[in-house]
Amino acid sequence: MGCTAEDVVAAVRAAAAVIADHRDELVRLDQAIGDADHGENMKRGFTAVVSRLDAEPPDTPAKVLKLVATTLISTVGGAAGPLYGTAFLRASAAVGDATELDQAVVARALRAALDGVIARGKAAVGDKTMVDALTPAVAAAECAEGTVAATLSAAADAAEEGASSTVPMVARKGRASYLGERSANHMDPGSRSTALLLRAFADAAAKS
Ligand code: ADP
Ligand code: MG
Protein backbone atom coordinates (compact mmCIF):
# COMPACT_ATOMS: atom_id res chain seq x y z
CA MET A 1 0.00 0.00 0.00
CA GLY A 2 1.23 3.48 -0.82
CA CYS A 3 1.49 6.54 1.31
CA THR A 4 -1.41 8.98 0.97
CA ALA A 5 -1.55 12.72 1.74
CA GLU A 6 -2.93 11.81 5.16
CA ASP A 7 0.01 9.49 5.80
CA VAL A 8 2.45 12.23 4.77
CA VAL A 9 0.72 14.65 7.16
CA ALA A 10 1.04 12.06 9.95
CA ALA A 11 4.74 11.60 9.16
CA VAL A 12 5.37 15.34 9.25
CA ARG A 13 3.54 15.64 12.58
CA ALA A 14 5.66 12.78 13.95
CA ALA A 15 8.80 14.56 12.72
CA ALA A 16 7.71 17.75 14.49
CA ALA A 17 7.30 15.82 17.74
CA VAL A 18 10.74 14.22 17.38
CA ILE A 19 12.38 17.59 16.66
CA ALA A 20 10.70 19.08 19.75
CA ASP A 21 11.91 16.11 21.86
CA HIS A 22 15.46 16.59 20.57
CA ARG A 23 15.53 20.39 20.70
CA ASP A 24 18.05 20.49 23.56
CA GLU A 25 20.32 17.89 21.98
CA LEU A 26 20.44 19.90 18.73
CA VAL A 27 21.12 23.09 20.71
CA ARG A 28 24.05 21.39 22.47
CA LEU A 29 25.52 20.11 19.21
CA ASP A 30 25.27 23.59 17.66
CA GLN A 31 26.68 25.15 20.85
CA ALA A 32 29.88 23.14 20.38
CA ILE A 33 30.64 24.16 16.79
CA GLY A 34 28.12 26.89 15.89
CA ASP A 35 25.87 29.44 17.56
CA ALA A 36 23.54 27.16 19.54
CA ASP A 37 20.41 27.98 17.57
CA HIS A 38 19.80 24.84 15.49
CA GLY A 39 17.49 23.12 17.99
CA GLU A 40 15.38 26.20 18.54
CA ASN A 41 15.32 27.07 14.83
CA MET A 42 14.09 23.60 13.90
CA LYS A 43 11.58 23.44 16.74
CA ARG A 44 10.13 26.83 15.77
CA GLY A 45 9.89 25.79 12.13
CA PHE A 46 8.15 22.48 12.74
CA THR A 47 5.81 24.00 15.32
CA ALA A 48 4.73 26.46 12.61
CA VAL A 49 4.32 23.58 10.15
CA VAL A 50 2.00 21.77 12.58
CA SER A 51 -0.10 24.94 13.08
CA ARG A 52 -0.55 25.25 9.34
CA LEU A 53 -1.44 21.55 9.00
CA ASP A 54 -4.02 21.99 11.77
CA ALA A 55 -5.54 24.96 9.98
CA GLU A 56 -5.73 23.45 6.51
CA PRO A 57 -4.33 19.97 5.78
CA PRO A 58 -3.37 19.75 2.07
CA ASP A 59 -4.99 17.01 0.00
CA THR A 60 -2.00 15.66 -1.96
CA PRO A 61 1.46 14.46 -0.84
CA ALA A 62 3.15 17.12 -2.98
CA LYS A 63 1.09 19.91 -1.42
CA VAL A 64 1.97 18.68 2.09
CA LEU A 65 5.68 18.73 1.23
CA LYS A 66 5.32 22.20 -0.31
CA LEU A 67 3.63 23.52 2.82
CA VAL A 68 6.53 22.16 4.87
CA ALA A 69 9.02 23.81 2.51
CA THR A 70 7.46 27.28 2.47
CA THR A 71 6.89 27.24 6.23
CA LEU A 72 10.46 26.17 7.00
CA ILE A 73 11.86 28.82 4.63
CA SER A 74 9.89 31.56 6.37
CA THR A 75 10.39 30.43 9.98
CA VAL A 76 13.63 28.45 10.54
CA GLY A 77 16.22 31.01 9.50
CA GLY A 78 19.97 30.41 9.67
CA ALA A 79 21.62 28.16 7.15
CA ALA A 80 19.32 25.24 7.79
CA GLY A 81 16.02 27.03 6.99
CA PRO A 82 16.71 27.67 3.30
CA LEU A 83 18.47 24.29 2.95
CA TYR A 84 15.63 22.23 4.42
CA GLY A 85 13.14 24.47 2.61
CA THR A 86 14.83 23.71 -0.70
CA ALA A 87 14.97 20.00 0.16
CA PHE A 88 11.22 19.78 0.79
CA LEU A 89 10.42 21.98 -2.22
CA ARG A 90 12.43 19.73 -4.54
CA ALA A 91 10.88 16.64 -2.94
CA SER A 92 7.44 18.13 -3.57
CA ALA A 93 8.24 18.73 -7.24
CA ALA A 94 9.61 15.17 -7.59
CA VAL A 95 6.39 13.72 -6.16
CA GLY A 96 4.34 15.66 -8.72
CA ASP A 97 0.68 14.72 -8.88
CA ALA A 98 1.06 11.24 -7.35
CA THR A 99 -1.82 10.63 -4.94
CA GLU A 100 0.09 7.83 -3.18
CA LEU A 101 3.82 7.51 -2.70
CA ASP A 102 5.49 4.16 -3.37
CA GLN A 103 9.11 3.10 -2.83
CA ALA A 104 10.30 4.47 -6.16
CA VAL A 105 8.67 7.88 -5.69
CA VAL A 106 10.07 8.16 -2.17
CA ALA A 107 13.58 7.35 -3.43
CA ARG A 108 13.18 9.93 -6.22
CA ALA A 109 11.96 12.55 -3.75
CA LEU A 110 14.94 11.94 -1.46
CA ARG A 111 17.35 12.20 -4.41
CA ALA A 112 15.71 15.48 -5.45
CA ALA A 113 15.98 16.79 -1.89
CA LEU A 114 19.70 16.01 -1.78
CA ASP A 115 20.26 17.62 -5.20
CA GLY A 116 18.49 20.74 -3.91
CA VAL A 117 20.61 20.93 -0.75
CA ILE A 118 23.79 20.57 -2.81
CA ALA A 119 22.65 23.13 -5.40
CA ARG A 120 21.90 25.63 -2.66
CA GLY A 121 24.73 24.99 -0.18
CA LYS A 122 27.50 23.66 -2.45
CA ALA A 123 28.64 21.18 0.21
CA ALA A 124 30.16 17.81 -0.65
CA VAL A 125 30.43 14.63 1.39
CA GLY A 126 33.17 15.16 3.97
CA ASP A 127 32.42 18.87 4.55
CA LYS A 128 30.65 18.06 7.87
CA THR A 129 27.10 19.09 6.98
CA MET A 130 23.65 17.55 6.55
CA VAL A 131 24.92 16.33 3.15
CA ASP A 132 26.94 13.71 5.05
CA ALA A 133 23.70 12.24 6.41
CA LEU A 134 21.49 12.73 3.37
CA THR A 135 23.88 11.33 0.75
CA PRO A 136 24.13 7.80 2.21
CA ALA A 137 20.41 7.94 3.03
CA VAL A 138 19.53 8.51 -0.63
CA ALA A 139 21.86 5.73 -1.75
CA ALA A 140 20.25 3.34 0.75
CA ALA A 141 16.73 4.35 -0.34
CA GLU A 142 17.59 3.77 -3.98
CA CYS A 143 18.91 0.27 -3.21
CA ALA A 144 16.01 -0.67 -0.96
CA GLU A 145 13.26 -2.88 -2.28
CA GLY A 146 9.81 -3.28 -0.85
CA THR A 147 7.66 -1.01 1.22
CA VAL A 148 7.93 2.74 1.80
CA ALA A 149 8.52 1.95 5.49
CA ALA A 150 11.46 -0.36 4.68
CA THR A 151 12.89 2.21 2.27
CA LEU A 152 12.72 5.01 4.82
CA SER A 153 14.08 2.74 7.55
CA ALA A 154 17.12 1.92 5.39
CA ALA A 155 17.53 5.64 4.68
CA ALA A 156 17.32 6.48 8.40
CA ASP A 157 19.90 3.80 9.30
CA ALA A 158 22.29 5.22 6.70
CA ALA A 159 21.64 8.80 7.82
CA GLU A 160 22.45 7.88 11.43
CA GLU A 161 25.74 6.34 10.32
CA GLY A 162 26.37 9.39 8.15
CA ALA A 163 25.76 11.71 11.09
CA SER A 164 28.20 9.69 13.21
CA SER A 165 30.75 9.93 10.41
CA THR A 166 30.79 13.74 10.81
CA VAL A 167 32.29 13.52 14.33
CA PRO A 168 35.97 13.39 13.31
CA MET A 169 35.51 15.71 10.32
CA VAL A 170 36.84 19.26 10.11
CA ALA A 171 34.02 21.51 8.85
CA ARG A 172 34.47 23.11 5.43
CA LYS A 173 31.02 24.70 5.09
CA GLY A 174 28.76 26.80 7.28
CA ARG A 175 29.44 28.45 10.61
CA ALA A 176 31.39 25.47 11.99
CA SER A 177 34.05 26.01 9.30
CA TYR A 178 35.10 29.24 11.11
CA LEU A 179 36.51 26.97 13.85
CA GLY A 180 38.87 25.10 11.54
CA GLU A 181 40.47 22.09 13.27
CA ARG A 182 38.54 22.86 16.46
CA SER A 183 35.35 21.71 14.74
CA ALA A 184 36.59 18.10 14.90
CA ASN A 185 35.32 15.67 17.55
CA HIS A 186 31.74 16.96 17.45
CA MET A 187 28.75 15.71 15.49
CA ASP A 188 27.38 18.18 12.93
CA PRO A 189 23.96 19.39 14.17
CA GLY A 190 22.37 19.45 10.71
CA SER A 191 23.41 15.88 10.00
CA ARG A 192 21.82 14.88 13.30
CA SER A 193 18.54 16.68 12.51
CA THR A 194 18.47 15.02 9.08
CA ALA A 195 18.84 11.59 10.71
CA LEU A 196 16.10 12.45 13.23
CA LEU A 197 13.69 13.53 10.48
CA LEU A 198 14.28 10.38 8.42
CA ARG A 199 13.86 8.13 11.48
CA ALA A 200 10.59 9.89 12.33
CA PHE A 201 9.33 9.45 8.74
CA ALA A 202 10.34 5.77 8.79
CA ASP A 203 8.60 5.09 12.10
CA ALA A 204 5.48 6.90 10.92
CA ALA A 205 5.44 4.94 7.66
CA ALA A 206 5.74 1.68 9.61
CA LYS A 207 2.56 2.63 11.51
CA SER A 208 0.50 3.74 8.48
P1 ADP B 1 23.37 28.56 11.27
O1 ADP B 1 24.64 27.81 10.95
O2 ADP B 1 23.12 29.70 10.34
O3 ADP B 1 23.29 28.94 12.73
P2 ADP B 1 21.70 26.29 11.82
O4 ADP B 1 22.43 26.23 13.12
O5 ADP B 1 20.21 26.25 11.89
O6 ADP B 1 22.15 27.53 10.98
O7 ADP B 1 22.15 25.06 10.91
C1 ADP B 1 23.46 24.62 10.87
C2 ADP B 1 23.54 23.37 9.99
O8 ADP B 1 23.33 23.71 8.63
C3 ADP B 1 24.92 22.74 10.01
O9 ADP B 1 25.05 21.85 11.09
C4 ADP B 1 25.01 22.03 8.68
O10 ADP B 1 24.54 20.70 8.74
C5 ADP B 1 24.06 22.83 7.81
N1 ADP B 1 24.79 23.61 6.83
C6 ADP B 1 25.41 24.79 7.00
N2 ADP B 1 25.95 25.21 5.83
C7 ADP B 1 25.67 24.24 4.90
C8 ADP B 1 25.93 24.09 3.51
N3 ADP B 1 26.59 25.02 2.81
N4 ADP B 1 25.46 22.98 2.89
C9 ADP B 1 24.78 22.03 3.58
N5 ADP B 1 24.49 22.14 4.89
C10 ADP B 1 24.93 23.22 5.54
MG1 MG C 1 23.39 27.59 14.26
Side-chain angles (χ1 to χ4, degrees):
M1 196 194 77
C3 197
T4 64
E6 252 175 45
D7 296 328
V8 180
V9 167
V12 171
R13 287 181 182 282
V18 166
I19 290 294
D21 283 349
H22 290 264
R23 180 232 177 242
D24 293 356
E25 180 193 345
L26 294 172
V27 166
R28 278 196 302 275
L29 291 176
D30 198 29
Q31 208 159 33
I33 58 169
D35 56 355
D37 64 349
H38 189 60
E40 188 55 34
N41 288 349
M42 293 295 285
K43 186 179 168 192
R44 184 175 56 249
F46 275 91
T47 301
V49 167
V50 168
S51 301
R52 289 188 59 189
L53 289 176
D54 286 342
E56 210 171 335
D59 60 1
T60 69
K63 285 188 207 163
V64 178
L65 295 169
K66 190 163 182 191
L67 177 152
V68 174
T70 55
T71 310
L72 294 182
I73 288 169
S74 62
T75 59
V76 174
L83 289 165
Y84 276 125
T86 303
F88 280 97
L89 207 55
R90 295 282 187 101
S92 171
V95 163
D97 53 11
T99 52
E100 289 198 21
L101 310 186
D102 60 14
Q103 187 270 335
V105 177
V106 168
R108 270 210 305 281
L110 287 172
R111 169 64 63 185
L114 172 61
D115 288 348
V117 169
I118 291 172
R120 176 124 208 159
K122 311 274 185 291
V125 167
D127 286 348
K128 198 179 181 98
T129 71
M130 60 177 72
V131 169
D132 291 301
L134 198 49
T135 300
V138 171
E142 287 174 345
C143 289
E145 275 175 38
T147 62
V148 168
T151 301
L152 287 170
S153 172
D157 289 347
E160 283 164 7
E161 276 183 42
S164 296
S165 79
T166 67
V167 173
M169 290 175 187
V170 172
R172 288 193 291 249
K173 281 281 185 281
R175 210 175 272 281
S177 66
Y178 308 159
L179 292 180
E181 299 286 331
R182 279 181 295 138
S183 62
N185 301 315
H186 301 282
M187 184 180 287
D188 172 63
S191 70
R192 177 63 179 142
S193 58
T194 292
L196 288 170
L197 290 174
L198 287 170
R199 179 63 64 202
F201 294 154
D203 290 349
K207 282 187 206 146
S208 69

mmCIF file of all heavy atoms in Angstrom, residues 109-136:
data_model
loop_
_atom_site.group_PDB
_atom_site.id
_atom_site.type_symbol
_atom_site.label_atom_id
_atom_site.label_comp_id
_atom_site.label_asym_id
_atom_site.label_seq_id
_atom_site.Cartn_x
_atom_site.Cartn_y
_atom_site.Cartn_z
ATOM 1 N N ALA A 109 12.143 11.316 -4.535
ATOM 2 C CA ALA A 109 11.963 12.553 -3.753
ATOM 3 C C ALA A 109 13.189 12.826 -2.884
ATOM 4 O O ALA A 109 13.640 13.971 -2.759
ATOM 5 C CB ALA A 109 10.698 12.440 -2.892
ATOM 6 N N LEU A 110 13.741 11.762 -2.292
ATOM 7 C CA LEU A 110 14.944 11.941 -1.460
ATOM 8 C C LEU A 110 16.129 12.384 -2.311
ATOM 9 O O LEU A 110 16.900 13.257 -1.915
ATOM 10 C CB LEU A 110 15.271 10.640 -0.711
ATOM 11 C CG LEU A 110 14.330 10.289 0.442
ATOM 12 C CD1 LEU A 110 14.630 8.889 0.970
ATOM 13 C CD2 LEU A 110 14.448 11.322 1.571
ATOM 14 N N ARG A 111 16.271 11.789 -3.493
ATOM 15 C CA ARG A 111 17.352 12.196 -4.407
ATOM 16 C C ARG A 111 17.197 13.675 -4.782
ATOM 17 O O ARG A 111 18.158 14.441 -4.789
ATOM 18 C CB ARG A 111 17.313 11.297 -5.653
ATOM 19 C CG ARG A 111 18.195 11.736 -6.802
ATOM 20 C CD ARG A 111 19.682 11.732 -6.511
ATOM 21 N NE ARG A 111 20.209 10.410 -6.216
ATOM 22 C CZ ARG A 111 21.479 10.180 -5.827
ATOM 23 N NH1 ARG A 111 22.331 11.191 -5.690
ATOM 24 N NH2 ARG A 111 21.880 8.957 -5.560
ATOM 25 N N ALA A 112 15.960 14.077 -5.076
ATOM 26 C CA ALA A 112 15.711 15.480 -5.454
ATOM 27 C C ALA A 112 16.023 16.414 -4.289
ATOM 28 O O ALA A 112 16.588 17.501 -4.477
ATOM 29 C CB ALA A 112 14.248 15.637 -5.894
ATOM 30 N N ALA A 113 15.696 15.974 -3.079
ATOM 31 C CA ALA A 113 15.975 16.790 -1.887
ATOM 32 C C ALA A 113 17.481 16.995 -1.737
ATOM 33 O O ALA A 113 17.958 18.118 -1.510
ATOM 34 C CB ALA A 113 15.402 16.103 -0.644
ATOM 35 N N LEU A 114 18.239 15.923 -1.888
ATOM 36 C CA LEU A 114 19.701 16.014 -1.779
ATOM 37 C C LEU A 114 20.261 16.937 -2.866
ATOM 38 O O LEU A 114 21.107 17.805 -2.576
ATOM 39 C CB LEU A 114 20.327 14.620 -1.897
ATOM 40 C CG LEU A 114 21.853 14.574 -2.001
ATOM 41 C CD1 LEU A 114 22.521 15.171 -0.758
ATOM 42 C CD2 LEU A 114 22.336 13.128 -2.218
ATOM 43 N N ASP A 115 19.780 16.764 -4.099
ATOM 44 C CA ASP A 115 20.262 17.625 -5.197
ATOM 45 C C ASP A 115 19.995 19.093 -4.871
ATOM 46 O O ASP A 115 20.820 19.961 -5.159
ATOM 47 C CB ASP A 115 19.574 17.258 -6.519
ATOM 48 C CG ASP A 115 20.068 15.922 -7.072
ATOM 49 O OD1 ASP A 115 21.082 15.400 -6.565
ATOM 50 O OD2 ASP A 115 19.417 15.400 -8.005
ATOM 51 N N GLY A 116 18.840 19.359 -4.262
ATOM 52 C CA GLY A 116 18.489 20.737 -3.907
ATOM 53 C C GLY A 116 19.419 21.304 -2.835
ATOM 54 O O GLY A 116 19.861 22.448 -2.925
ATOM 55 N N VAL A 117 19.717 20.481 -1.831
ATOM 56 C CA VAL A 117 20.615 20.925 -0.747
ATOM 57 C C VAL A 117 22.005 21.226 -1.318
ATOM 58 O O VAL A 117 22.634 22.232 -0.968
ATOM 59 C CB VAL A 117 20.694 19.864 0.379
ATOM 60 C CG1 VAL A 117 21.798 20.184 1.365
ATOM 61 C CG2 VAL A 117 19.349 19.758 1.099
ATOM 62 N N ILE A 118 22.455 20.375 -2.230
ATOM 63 C CA ILE A 118 23.790 20.567 -2.813
ATOM 64 C C ILE A 118 23.792 21.801 -3.727
ATOM 65 O O ILE A 118 24.737 22.602 -3.707
ATOM 66 C CB ILE A 118 24.236 19.299 -3.574
ATOM 67 C CG1 ILE A 118 24.497 18.157 -2.568
ATOM 68 C CG2 ILE A 118 25.501 19.570 -4.394
ATOM 69 C CD1 ILE A 118 24.752 16.810 -3.207
ATOM 70 N N ALA A 119 22.722 21.972 -4.498
ATOM 71 C CA ALA A 119 22.648 23.135 -5.398
ATOM 72 C C ALA A 119 22.679 24.430 -4.596
ATOM 73 O O ALA A 119 23.324 25.412 -4.967
ATOM 74 C CB ALA A 119 21.375 23.067 -6.245
ATOM 75 N N ARG A 120 22.009 24.407 -3.464
ATOM 76 C CA ARG A 120 21.901 25.627 -2.655
ATOM 77 C C ARG A 120 23.149 25.881 -1.810
ATOM 78 O O ARG A 120 23.628 27.007 -1.709
ATOM 79 C CB ARG A 120 20.681 25.478 -1.748
ATOM 80 C CG ARG A 120 20.478 26.582 -0.796
ATOM 81 C CD ARG A 120 19.113 27.191 -0.950
ATOM 82 N NE ARG A 120 19.192 28.565 -0.534
ATOM 83 C CZ ARG A 120 18.350 29.502 -0.870
ATOM 84 N NH1 ARG A 120 17.357 29.223 -1.686
ATOM 85 N NH2 ARG A 120 18.487 30.719 -0.440
ATOM 86 N N GLY A 121 23.662 24.809 -1.174
ATOM 87 C CA GLY A 121 24.734 24.988 -0.180
ATOM 88 C C GLY A 121 26.124 24.648 -0.673
ATOM 89 O O GLY A 121 27.102 24.956 0.008
ATOM 90 N N LYS A 122 26.206 23.997 -1.842
ATOM 91 C CA LYS A 122 27.501 23.663 -2.450
ATOM 92 C C LYS A 122 28.402 22.832 -1.539
ATOM 93 O O LYS A 122 29.627 22.905 -1.649
ATOM 94 C CB LYS A 122 28.267 24.943 -2.857
ATOM 95 C CG LYS A 122 27.469 25.957 -3.648
ATOM 96 C CD LYS A 122 27.505 25.620 -5.130
ATOM 97 C CE LYS A 122 26.836 26.662 -6.015
ATOM 98 N NZ LYS A 122 25.392 26.763 -5.884
ATOM 99 N N ALA A 123 27.816 22.047 -0.640
ATOM 100 C CA ALA A 123 28.638 21.182 0.213
ATOM 101 C C ALA A 123 28.782 19.814 -0.442
ATOM 102 O O ALA A 123 27.896 19.358 -1.173
ATOM 103 C CB ALA A 123 28.003 21.038 1.592
ATOM 104 N N ALA A 124 29.908 19.167 -0.178
ATOM 105 C CA ALA A 124 30.161 17.808 -0.652
ATOM 106 C C ALA A 124 30.262 16.891 0.564
ATOM 107 O O ALA A 124 30.402 17.363 1.701
ATOM 108 C CB ALA A 124 31.456 17.766 -1.448
ATOM 109 N N VAL A 125 30.211 15.591 0.314
ATOM 110 C CA VAL A 125 30.434 14.627 1.394
ATOM 111 C C VAL A 125 31.814 14.888 1.981
ATOM 112 O O VAL A 125 32.778 15.113 1.244
ATOM 113 C CB VAL A 125 30.334 13.182 0.854
ATOM 114 C CG1 VAL A 125 30.856 12.183 1.868
ATOM 115 C CG2 VAL A 125 28.889 12.856 0.491
ATOM 116 N N GLY A 126 31.887 14.910 3.303
ATOM 117 C CA GLY A 126 33.165 15.158 3.974
ATOM 118 C C GLY A 126 33.310 16.586 4.477
ATOM 119 O O GLY A 126 34.244 16.895 5.209
ATOM 120 N N ASP A 127 32.355 17.469 4.096
ATOM 121 C CA ASP A 127 32.421 18.867 4.546
ATOM 122 C C ASP A 127 31.807 19.072 5.930
ATOM 123 O O ASP A 127 31.793 20.177 6.458
ATOM 124 C CB ASP A 127 31.717 19.787 3.541
ATOM 125 C CG ASP A 127 32.520 19.992 2.263
ATOM 126 O OD1 ASP A 127 33.704 19.614 2.242
ATOM 127 O OD2 ASP A 127 31.952 20.528 1.288
ATOM 128 N N LYS A 128 31.262 18.010 6.524
ATOM 129 C CA LYS A 128 30.655 18.063 7.866
ATOM 130 C C LYS A 128 29.368 18.883 7.854
ATOM 131 O O LYS A 128 29.238 19.895 8.556
ATOM 132 C CB LYS A 128 31.650 18.642 8.886
ATOM 133 C CG LYS A 128 31.308 18.360 10.365
ATOM 134 C CD LYS A 128 32.375 18.947 11.287
ATOM 135 C CE LYS A 128 32.094 18.675 12.738
ATOM 136 N NZ LYS A 128 32.843 17.520 13.253
ATOM 137 N N THR A 129 28.420 18.439 7.028
ATOM 138 C CA THR A 129 27.099 19.086 6.984
ATOM 139 C C THR A 129 26.018 18.002 6.875
ATOM 140 O O THR A 129 26.321 16.810 6.824
ATOM 141 C CB THR A 129 26.931 20.011 5.759
ATOM 142 O OG1 THR A 129 26.837 19.189 4.579
ATOM 143 C CG2 THR A 129 28.073 20.993 5.613
ATOM 144 N N MET A 130 24.773 18.467 6.740
ATOM 145 C CA MET A 130 23.647 17.552 6.547
ATOM 146 C C MET A 130 23.828 16.681 5.308
ATOM 147 O O MET A 130 23.223 15.609 5.217
ATOM 148 C CB MET A 130 22.335 18.326 6.492
ATOM 149 C CG MET A 130 22.247 19.340 5.378
ATOM 150 S SD MET A 130 20.626 20.171 5.325
ATOM 151 C CE MET A 130 20.683 21.235 6.748
ATOM 152 N N VAL A 131 24.645 17.133 4.349
ATOM 153 C CA VAL A 131 24.918 16.334 3.149
ATOM 154 C C VAL A 131 25.559 14.992 3.521
ATOM 155 O O VAL A 131 25.335 13.982 2.845
ATOM 156 C CB VAL A 131 25.812 17.140 2.168
ATOM 157 C CG1 VAL A 131 26.350 16.272 1.036
ATOM 158 C CG2 VAL A 131 25.025 18.319 1.606
ATOM 159 N N ASP A 132 26.309 14.958 4.615
ATOM 160 C CA ASP A 132 26.944 13.709 5.055
ATOM 161 C C ASP A 132 25.928 12.702 5.591
ATOM 162 O O ASP A 132 26.222 11.508 5.644
ATOM 163 C CB ASP A 132 28.015 14.004 6.119
ATOM 164 C CG ASP A 132 29.198 14.723 5.511
ATOM 165 O OD1 ASP A 132 29.811 14.157 4.593
ATOM 166 O OD2 ASP A 132 29.485 15.863 5.921
ATOM 167 N N ALA A 133 24.771 13.162 5.994
ATOM 168 C CA ALA A 133 23.698 12.243 6.411
ATOM 169 C C ALA A 133 22.785 11.904 5.236
ATOM 170 O O ALA A 133 22.378 10.757 5.053
ATOM 171 C CB ALA A 133 22.884 12.863 7.547
ATOM 172 N N LEU A 134 22.475 12.919 4.430
ATOM 173 C CA LEU A 134 21.487 12.730 3.365
ATOM 174 C C LEU A 134 22.037 11.909 2.195
ATOM 175 O O LEU A 134 21.301 11.130 1.580
ATOM 176 C CB LEU A 134 20.999 14.116 2.896
ATOM 177 C CG LEU A 134 19.703 14.191 2.117
ATOM 178 C CD1 LEU A 134 18.570 13.429 2.787
ATOM 179 C CD2 LEU A 134 19.294 15.656 1.914
ATOM 180 N N THR A 135 23.321 12.057 1.897
ATOM 181 C CA THR A 135 23.881 11.327 0.748
ATOM 182 C C THR A 135 23.794 9.806 0.931
ATOM 183 O O THR A 135 23.255 9.113 0.054
ATOM 184 C CB THR A 135 25.335 11.778 0.479
ATOM 185 O OG1 THR A 135 25.315 13.179 0.206
ATOM 186 C CG2 THR A 135 25.946 11.032 -0.701
ATOM 187 N N PRO A 136 24.284 9.255 2.048
ATOM 188 C CA PRO A 136 24.133 7.801 2.215
ATOM 189 C C PRO A 136 22.675 7.371 2.360
ATOM 190 O O PRO A 136 22.309 6.259 1.963
ATOM 191 C CB PRO A 136 24.932 7.488 3.482
ATOM 192 C CG PRO A 136 25.133 8.786 4.185
ATOM 193 C CD PRO A 136 25.077 9.851 3.137
#
